[in-house]
Amino acid sequence: MRRLFSLISAVVVMVVLALPALAQWPAFRKAGVPRNPDGKPNLTAPAPRTADGKPDLSGIWNLVRGAAGQRGQRGQNGQATPPPPPPSGPPVSTFKNIGSAMSGGLPLQPWAADLVKRRVADNDKDNPDAHCLPMGFMQFHNHPEPRKIVQTPQAIYIIYEANSGLRQIYMDGRPLPGKDADPWWYGYSVGHWDGDTLVVETTGFRDGLWLDIDGDPLSDQAKVTERFRRPNFGTLEIDVTIDDPKAYTRTFTVRVNQRIMVDTELIEFICEDRDATHYVGAK
């Protein structure tokens, strides 16, 4: 029974993933998808580009977990996934613990390490995800439910199926707001292009956010820098650098690998927290 509460979100996800195909948009053949002679998507084809020559990150993306038969493949005729990235770059993060692949784990400040221990010992009962609140920054990136990127010249929007989350990344040259800005769950995000890499800087977070299921914190002093790359049609690499001197002893970077989902759409996700007091570990 230990850690049962921390598995509640995973159980909800599995239930959603098990829904029959008729509960979703029927599979349909999307335009603009490069295909092989057999009609299956060519995921290693060159990444699409916008009218101004920048990589087009638009699409529905799912976390690369190495498991076959995930939701979305039903409408993709069992297509092959993109080849795994080369064994280089930052350690790959996970939904449960973003520092699980880091040697020695995350560089937590002593108070933050104690906080994580308490959260884990308390079965993660205060995880915002389990209470239908906006999830932590990295929880959204690593969530097993997909997300949709909509790219325009002035702004990029990321629509997360999980908890119907929405991020807005402004590309119009505006600066980040000052320290007097009202703190937000997702912070304030501005982006610019560095060659073929989209660089997104985010500040202005609420204090006490959760980065993952284990409860690694993100404070109101954090600055997060994401670097999005689309090396081919089917692959999205996101390197996330977290600079949070309040919670961590040094800056660190982790990677998120995602793959395209074609011929499908997001499904409606409604989260309702009627009463969490019956959960294991709740008080």
Side-chain angles (χ1 to χ4, degrees), residues 244-255:
D244 185 355
K246 182 176 178 179
Y248 299 93
T249 59
R250 60 177 173 82
T251 299
F252 63 92
T253 301
V254 294
R255 174 168 291 179

Side-chain angles (χ1 to χ4, degrees), residues 9-120:
S9 296
V11 171
V12 171
V13 167
M14 287 189 288
V15 170
V16 172
L17 298 183
L19 291 173
L22 13 126
Q24 304 169 22
W25 280 96
F28 62 100
R29 192 180 177 93
K30 284 187 175 179
V33 176
R35 298 184 186 271
N36 295 315
D38 60 3
K40 293 181 180 179
N42 180 4
L43 302 182
T44 59
R49 292 184 178 269
T50 59
D52 61 359
K54 300 301 184 184
D56 190 350
L57 308 183
S58 300
I60 297 177
W61 298 93
N62 203 5
L63 185 70
V64 173
R65 291 180 291 160
Q70 297 182 58
R71 203 201 90 200
Q73 288 190 337
R74 284 193 286 257
Q76 298 179 41
N77 302 315
Q79 68 186 54
T81 60
S88 62
V92 176
S93 65
T94 66
F95 186 44
K96 179 178 180 296
N97 179 349
I98 68 167
S100 60
M102 294 179 62
S103 177
L106 293 176
L108 291 157
Q109 294 281 6
W111 72 265
D114 291 341
L115 174 64
V116 174
K117 289 178 182 177
R118 292 197 302 271
R119 286 174 169 175
V120 171

Side-chain angles (χ1 to χ4, degrees), residues 16-17 60 71 135 140 143-148 159-165 261 265-270:
V16 172
L17 298 183
I60 297 177
R71 203 201 90 200
M135 274 183 282
F140 268 131
H143 204 283
E145 291 183 56
R147 69 280 299 145
K148 184 174 188 176
I159 306 167
Y160 299 94
E161 186 176 275
N163 290 11
S164 298
M261 297 174 66
E265 285 294 346
L266 299 182
I267 65 174
E268 187 177 65
F269 185 105
I270 305 299

Side-chain angles (χ1 to χ4, degrees), residues 64-280:
V64 173
R65 291 180 291 160
Q70 297 182 58
R71 203 201 90 200
Q73 288 190 337
R74 284 193 286 257
Q76 298 179 41
N77 302 315
Q79 68 186 54
T81 60
S88 62
V92 176
S93 65
T94 66
F95 186 44
K96 179 178 180 296
N97 179 349
I98 68 167
S100 60
M102 294 179 62
S103 177
L106 293 176
L108 291 157
Q109 294 281 6
W111 72 265
D114 291 341
L115 174 64
V116 174
K117 289 178 182 177
R118 292 197 302 271
R119 286 174 169 175
V120 171
D122 219 8
N123 294 309
D124 308 318
K125 69 179 182 64
D126 294 322
N127 188 330
D129 185 16
H131 295 274
C132 299
L133 294 171
M135 274 183 282
F137 202 85
M138 290 300 297
Q139 277 187 289
F140 268 131
H141 268 324
N142 285 301
H143 204 283
E145 291 183 56
R147 69 280 299 145
K148 184 174 188 176
I149 296 179
V150 180
Q151 182 171 330
T152 75
Q154 299 300 312
I156 294 175
Y157 306 95
I158 306 180
I159 306 167
Y160 299 94
E161 186 176 275
N163 290 11
S164 298
L166 173 64
R167 281 188 64 200
Q168 302 178 78
I169 301 167
Y170 292 100
M171 304 290 295
D172 55 5
R174 71 181 68 184
L176 287 167
K179 294 183 178 180
D180 58 343
D182 289 336
W184 283 4
W185 289 93
Y186 308 144
Y188 299 80
S189 297
V190 297
H192 67 273
W193 290 99
D194 180 9
D196 284 348
T197 299
L198 172 67
V199 180
V200 178
E201 298 174 297
T202 305
T203 58
F205 295 100
R206 291 169 56 99
D207 201 21
L209 297 178
W210 292 47
L211 284 175
D212 48 32
I213 290 179
D214 279 355
D216 289 301
L218 189 73
S219 83
D220 54 356
Q221 294 184 21
K223 179 178 182 179
V224 176
T225 303
E226 301 155 285
R227 292 174 172 84
F228 293 75
R229 290 180 297 273
R230 189 175 187 176
N232 55 39
F233 180 80
T235 304
L236 187 65
E237 296 175 353
I238 310 170
D239 289 348
V240 184
T241 299
I242 295 177
D243 181 5
D244 185 355
K246 182 176 178 179
Y248 299 93
T249 59
R250 60 177 173 82
T251 299
F252 63 92
T253 301
V254 294
R255 174 168 291 179
V256 179
N257 293 312
Q258 295 179 359
R259 67 179 181 200
I260 196 74
M261 297 174 66
V262 302
D263 302 344
T264 189
E265 285 294 346
L266 299 182
I267 65 174
E268 187 177 65
F269 185 105
I270 305 299
C271 183
E272 182 180 11
D273 178 18
R274 292 187 176 182
D275 182 8
T277 58
H278 62 284
Y279 294 159
V280 172

